[in-house]
């Protein structure tokens, strides 16, 4: 842990009552490659100290790259001055206090990432490149992250954890076609790098290119594609503030069916199948939050401000100050329960339809209607009678996520650990979508 | 000091020490306001050994931190084992300092002045009635104090001050939620960092007219709730300059960044249709359209005097008379294409490696006007203010959504429409352009939120645009 508790306590004392500190010590090491050549290697170290002071309904915030006492005093002077300039706010709504007694969940720290060595990343790169052979061009990145986190406040809360993460993205290109694999784990030694060339070669299978099909058909979303759907759906509709203010498509529908019966979705920051972390940006312990059970909406995720929607206890989904995806609580560690079908069985059930490996640039057009648009990418196939028969041209889908969630007729047995820029982890299997909501243009 | 610590096998090295200061003031409906101050100081070191790059960055500027950053950058580069070949072109040896012009230092303006202005805007917006659910008025100020030095002898100091502000109103009636933004839309949820930005002082925020336009903007948000849906049809589309800024960004800006053309973004945002063999021949649009990147436009958000490799700011033609003609480059990617750098290497702070980035991507104005375009259209749609978009990994197939839309019937603007989207692909869309607004309508829109790279970098840039008219475009919900 690169963050000293004594320095944190000192900073809290300088900043005064009503202060919360959210501190990140970031260590990132990255190897990037394109066209089978190494293009960049990074090693980035930074300390981000975010302070927020809430007093008498007024709120100010600031950030620094140091816990040096003089620098903290400088920030404190500015924040205290700003507090005195702000008009008095309305009476603050009652929020539950930080639960100091709840123990901080213990997250396993991986020595394989802590002892990061550029040579290991080069070995990974060589393994994948050489395994693909010279006819296939490899692009992507290998990244190791060590994140020291502390959330502490002037009421005495102090939570600390170290999170390790290793990830590899490999995009293989051959003859104008591409396929991708992305694997990640808190422990680099648990990533099966040796399997990646085989998976990519399999995805680059030498099938003919078929003419674009049009209209509605069944669509098999492989885990990377299902990741985009489930993450975007969760982000758009399953946060407590969106629910409470009526901006969510499922507002007012707790206890009602909002998705197909096969859908069981939860958020659990401590589940090792995802990328676990123990507490959120307010220091709330992450708790398992059931969201959809047999397609019925049973919960949302909350922070302290919206804890009343989750039994008065925040689920541990407060986002950091200044987060570029908003200030409302949103899911962070989604897990979609596996089904019983193998991918071959899902393909057989798909019959004649589209198989999508990746949904890219999925963007919300209308949150209340869950209307989104995005494109397929990196290996889109056409299937006939349950067999892959050809590469299908990349295409754009515009659809209502709620319609797709209600049209899920098959759930794979094998889940993959994925991530998103706006979500720490998403664990999903393949999903078979019935003909209807996904229309090929 | 740091460059002096580099070992002899370093072929090239450069260092950037950057202090970034950011102030955000934000007022919401029924709230007292919020203030945020960010201060970040650190350095990034880049070295080339055996034709391989190593980059390290640290917030620790003490001797141990400096030793560590050298060791990490050199270690990264050596780990690749040599065998690389990087052509950097002509050496950069400039020694200079530059401060971006401004009239009123935004960091010296009293907080109460900022709060008063934003509160007045919120108060005006709240007059639109009870269906207004959320109002957010904000202003943001950035100052980057940068020192760049390299092993070729360059030493450049630059101070850039940026100012911006905006307003967002959400209205809802239980069934629908509609958003209006002013002066321009931001397709994301982040608090603050909205509106129009410029390389300028507080005077830019005063010029935006936030208070004067707030009531109208909020009334539009409410009116959208009961407006008819945009019809599904193929029709004539007239896009305001504000809206065309983002289309230009996605259709010409990103695709014509040379690193993308050479494959280094393949694992992230993707590739591009603008491949090297198409340069000079690919028909991007009709002959009336030309586009360029220009980092020398006074006051534009993407302007500077030197990029983050010390290369002078310049103007680069990207599209000439409808033909794709040029790339934005850094020294490395220019060298790979046999060119000299166009001065577009930019990093998001000290902790990130410079990437090829847009500066100010501009359309050359045409000879028409918005008024003439509307008058000359029998049936069509007028759209403005971006709400969201998606584009494929080759920057071809896209779909944009706008906050505002209006019917055009027999040369006149008709009913307000909601949820307008339009979709096309890049050469088809720009190939259907038949009119562009003239020089009087040309305006630079400052966008502080362009994302690229891994780790993610956010760039501040501008788009100089005019309204345009496009034929046979698929519009709809």
């Amino acid at each position: 842990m690169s963050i000293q508790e004594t320095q944190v306590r000192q900073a809290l004392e300088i900043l005064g009552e009503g202060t919360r500190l959210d501190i990140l010590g970031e260590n990132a090491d990255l190897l990037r490659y394109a066209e089978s050549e190494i293009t960049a290697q990074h090693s980035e170290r930074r300390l981000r100290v975010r302070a927020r002071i809430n007093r008498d309904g007024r709120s100010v915030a600031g950030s620094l790259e140091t816990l040096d006492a003089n620098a903290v005093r400088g920030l404190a002077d500015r924040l205290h001055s700003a507090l005195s300039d702000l008009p008095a706010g309305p009476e603050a709504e009652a929020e539950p206090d930080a639960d100091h007694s709840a123990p901080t969940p213990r997250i396993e720290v991986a020595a394989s990432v802590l002892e990061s060595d550029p040579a290991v990343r080069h070995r990974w790169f060589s393994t994948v490149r050489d395994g693909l052979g010279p006819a296939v061009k490899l692009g992507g990145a290998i990244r190791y992250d060590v994140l020291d986190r502390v959330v502490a406040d002037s009421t005495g809360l102090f939570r600390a954890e170290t999170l390790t993460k290793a990830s590899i993205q490999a995009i293989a290109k051959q003859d104008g076609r591409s396929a991708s694999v992305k694997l990640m784990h808190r422990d680099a030694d648990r990533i099966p790098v040796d399997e990646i060339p085989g998976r990519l070669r399999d995805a680059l299978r030498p099938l003919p290119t078929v003419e674009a099909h049009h209209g509605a058909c069944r669509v098999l979303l492989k885990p990377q594609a299902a990741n985009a759907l489930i993450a975007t759906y969760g982000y758009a509709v399953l946060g407590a503030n969106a629910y409470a203010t009526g901006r969510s498509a499922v507002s007012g529908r707790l206890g009602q069916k909002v998705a197909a019966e096969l859908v069981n979705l939860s958020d659990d920051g401590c589940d090792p199948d995802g990328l676990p972390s123990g507490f959120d940006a307010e220091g709330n312990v992450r708790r398992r939050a059931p969201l959809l059970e047999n397609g019925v909406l049973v919960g949302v995720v909350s922070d302290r401000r919206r804890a009343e929607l989750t039994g008065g206890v925040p689920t541990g989904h407060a986002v950091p100050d200044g987060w570029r995806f908003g200030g409302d609580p949103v899911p962070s560690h989604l897990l979609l329960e596996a089904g019983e079908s193998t991918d071959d069985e899902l393909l057989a059930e798909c019959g004649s339809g589209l198989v999508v490996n990746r949904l890219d640039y999925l963007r919300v057009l209308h949150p209340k209607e869950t209307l989104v648009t995005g494109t397929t990418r990196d290996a889109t196939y056409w299937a006939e009678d349950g067999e892959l028969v050809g590469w299908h041209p990349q295409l754009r889908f515009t659809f209502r996520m709620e319609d797709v969630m209600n049209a899920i007729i098959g759930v794979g047995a094998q889940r993959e650990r994925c991530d998103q820029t706006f979500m720490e982890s998403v664990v999903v299997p393949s999903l078979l979508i019935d003909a209807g909501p996904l229309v090929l243009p | 000091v740091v460059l002096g610590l580099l070992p002899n096998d370093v072929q090239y090295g450069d260092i950037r020490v950057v202090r970034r200061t950011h102030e955000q003031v934000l007022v919401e409906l029924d709230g007292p306001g919020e203030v945020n101050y960010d201060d970040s100081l650190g350095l990034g070191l880049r070295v080339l050994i055996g034709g391989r790059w190593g980059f390290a960055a640290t917030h620790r500027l003490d001797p141990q931190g400096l030793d560590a950053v050298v060791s990490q950058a050199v270690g990264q580069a050596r780990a690749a084992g040599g065998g690389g070949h990087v052509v950097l072109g002509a050496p950069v040896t400039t020694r200079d300092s530059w401060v971006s012009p401004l009239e009123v230092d935004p960091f010296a303006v009293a907080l109460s002045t900022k709060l008063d202005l934003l509160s007045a805007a919120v108060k005006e917006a709240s007059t639109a009635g009870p269906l207004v659910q959320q109002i957010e008025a904000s202003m943001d100020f950035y100052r980057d104090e940068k020192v760049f030095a390299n092993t070729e002898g360059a030493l450049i100091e630059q101070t850039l001050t940026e100012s911006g502000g905006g307003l967002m109103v959400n209205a809802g009636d239980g069934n629908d939620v509609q958003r209006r933004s002013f002066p321009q839309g931001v397709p994301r949820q982040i608090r603050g960092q909205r509106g129009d930005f410029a390389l300028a002082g507080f005077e830019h925020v005063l010029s935006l007219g936030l208070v004067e336009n707030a009531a109208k903007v909020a009334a539009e948000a409410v009116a959208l709730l009961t407006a008819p849906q945009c019809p599904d049809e193929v029709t004539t589309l007239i896009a305001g300059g504000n809206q065309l800024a983002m289309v230009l960004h996605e259709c010409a800006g990103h695709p014509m960044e040379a690193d993308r053309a050479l494959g280094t973004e393949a694992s992230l945002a993707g590739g591009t249709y603008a491949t090297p063999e198409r340069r000079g021949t690919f028909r991007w649009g009709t002959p009336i359209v030309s586009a360029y990147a220009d980092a020398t436009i006074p006051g534009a958000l993407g302007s500077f005097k030197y990029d983050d490799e010390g290369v002078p700011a310049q103007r680069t033609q990207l599209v000439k008379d409808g033909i794709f003609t040029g790339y934005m480059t850094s020294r490395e990617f220019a060298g790979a294409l046999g060119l000299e750098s166009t001065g577009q290497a930019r990093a998001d702070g000290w902790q990130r490696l410079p990437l090829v980035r847009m500066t100010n991507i501009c359309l050359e104005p045409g000879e028409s006007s918005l008024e003439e375009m509307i008058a000359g259209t029998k049936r069509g749609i007028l759209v403005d203010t971006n709400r969201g978009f998606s584009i494929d990994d080759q920057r071809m197939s896209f779909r944009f959504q706008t906050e505002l839309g209006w019917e055009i019937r027999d040369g006149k603007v008709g009913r307000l429409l909601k949820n307008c989207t339009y979709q096309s692909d890049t050469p088809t869309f720009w190939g259907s352009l038949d009119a562009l607004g003239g020089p009087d309508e040309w305006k630079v829109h400052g966008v502080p939120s362009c994302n690229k790279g891994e780790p993610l970098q956010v760039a501040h840039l501008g788009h100089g645009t005019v309204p345009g008219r496009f034929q046979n475009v698929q519009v709809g919900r």
Side-chain angles (χ1 to χ4, degrees), chain A residues 38-298:
Chain A
I38 291 167
T39 56
Q41 300 166 94
H42 309 220
S43 184
E44 304 179 8
R45 308 283 181 262
R46 72 184 301 193
L47 179 70
R48 300 165 76 181
V49 180
R50 290 191 285 248
R52 175 165 291 278
I53 307 177
N54 292 307
R55 285 183 201 162
D56 307 323
R58 301 176 173 98
S59 186
V60 294
S63 70
L64 291 169
E65 299 274 352
T66 176
L67 279 165
D68 173 77
N70 286 330
V72 175
R73 279 190 199 96
L75 177 63
D77 289 347
R78 295 194 74 188
L79 296 181
H80 294 157
S81 170
L83 276 171
S84 63
D85 278 351
L86 286 170
E91 209 48 38
E93 289 176 31
E95 289 178 6
D97 288 333
D99 183 0
H100 298 205
S101 64
T104 304
R106 189 171 174 279
I107 306 300
E108 207 65 43
V109 177
S112 60
V113 180
L114 283 178
E115 294 154 12
S116 168
D117 178 352
V120 176
R121 292 186 287 280
H122 283 274
R123 265 203 307 278
W124 282 18
F125 165 70
S126 301
T127 297
V128 179
R129 181 196 57 191
D130 298 347
L132 287 170
V136 180
K137 294 297 181 191
L138 174 66
I142 298 164
R143 180 168 174 159
Y144 279 40
D145 287 282
V146 179
L147 190 65
D148 290 328
R149 295 184 66 213
V150 167
V151 174
D153 68 25
S154 49
T155 70
L157 177 75
F158 185 92
R159 296 197 189 279
E161 68 180 2
T162 296
L163 303 176
T164 53
K165 179 183 177 184
S167 64
I168 176 168
Q169 178 164 37
I171 296 198
K173 289 192 301 179
Q174 186 177 27
D175 302 330
R177 294 165 170 175
S178 64
S180 77
V181 168
K182 188 172 184 184
L183 303 177
M184 66 205 68
H185 200 282
R186 291 252 176 257
D187 183 352
D189 289 345
R190 303 280 297 275
I191 295 180
V193 177
D194 294 346
E195 294 176 9
I196 294 174
R199 287 179 60 173
L200 289 169
R201 279 197 308 270
D202 184 51
L204 285 171
R205 61 188 64 199
L207 295 170
T209 298
V210 299
E211 290 287 315
H213 288 254
H214 306 286
C217 66
R218 286 189 172 179
V219 178
L220 178 56
L221 299 177
K222 304 288 275 191
Q224 285 286 348
N227 161 29
L229 169 69
I230 296 298
T232 306
Y233 177 80
Y235 173 83
V237 309
L238 295 174
N241 201 46
Y243 185 91
T245 57
R247 285 185 282 118
S248 165
V250 299
S251 289
R253 295 167 67 186
L254 268 171
Q256 296 178 25
K257 183 174 172 298
V258 298
E261 280 188 11
L262 293 173
V263 178
N264 289 285
L265 182 67
S266 62
D267 190 294
D268 189 350
C270 297
D271 192 315
D273 283 351
L275 293 169
S277 72
F279 54 90
D280 68 11
E282 291 178 332
N284 306 308
V285 168
R286 295 196 190 277
R287 299 169 194 276
R288 182 175 185 278
L291 301 168
L292 303 178
E293 287 181 354
N294 300 321
V296 174
L297 180 68
V298 295

Side-chain angles (χ1 to χ4, degrees), chain B residues 102-175:
Chain B
L102 54 82
E103 291 172 24
V104 182
D105 181 356
F107 295 95
V109 174
L111 176 59
S112 57
T113 303
K114 298 165 182 167
L115 287 166
D116 287 349
L117 190 153
L118 296 175
S119 298
V122 170
K123 187 176 173 192
E124 284 295 314
S126 65
T127 60
L131 295 180
V132 171
Q133 293 182 331
Q134 185 186 13
I135 304 172
E136 182 187 294
S138 62
M139 52 181 82
D140 286 80
F141 309 101
Y142 295 90
R143 176 161 292 152
D144 274 7
E145 298 163 87
K146 308 200 279 190
V147 179
F148 169 85
N150 68 15
T151 51
E152 296 168 337
L155 179 61
I156 298 168
E157 291 180 60
Q158 293 187 94
T159 301
L160 295 91
T161 302
E162 302 168 350
S163 301
L167 180 70
M168 181 198 70
V169 179
N170 272 324
D173 59 7
N175 297 313

Side-chain angles (χ1 to χ4, degrees), chain B residues 349-371:
Chain B
W350 51 268
Q351 73 278 13
R352 298 287 190 252
L353 190 67
L355 301 173
V356 178
R357 293 297 249 157
M358 286 178 245
T359 52
N360 302 297
I361 309 299
C362 305
L363 284 173
E364 288 180 12
E367 295 174 348
S368 185
S369 69
L370 182 60
E371 194 178 346

Side-chain angles (χ1 to χ4, degrees), chain A residues 339-355:
Chain A
E340 295 176 349
S341 306
T342 65
D343 274 16
D344 283 346
E345 289 167 343
L346 289 176
L347 185 58
E349 205 178 338
C350 182
S352 296
L354 199 70
V355 178

Side-chain angles (χ1 to χ4, degrees), chain A residues 205-210 213 347 351 353 355 381-392:
Chain A
R205 61 188 64 199
L207 295 170
T209 298
V210 299
H213 288 254
L347 185 58
V355 178
Y381 309 115
W382 184 254
E384 290 285 354
D385 300 325
E387 297 282 338
L388 298 182
V389 296
W391 287 71
H392 191 280

Side-chain angles (χ1 to χ4, degrees), chain A residues 96-97 280 282 284-285 287 302-304 307 310 312-317:
Chain A
D97 288 333
D280 68 11
E282 291 178 332
N284 306 308
V285 168
R287 299 169 194 276
S302 69
D303 54 9
R304 280 189 217 167
T310 53
V313 179
T315 58
H317 291 85

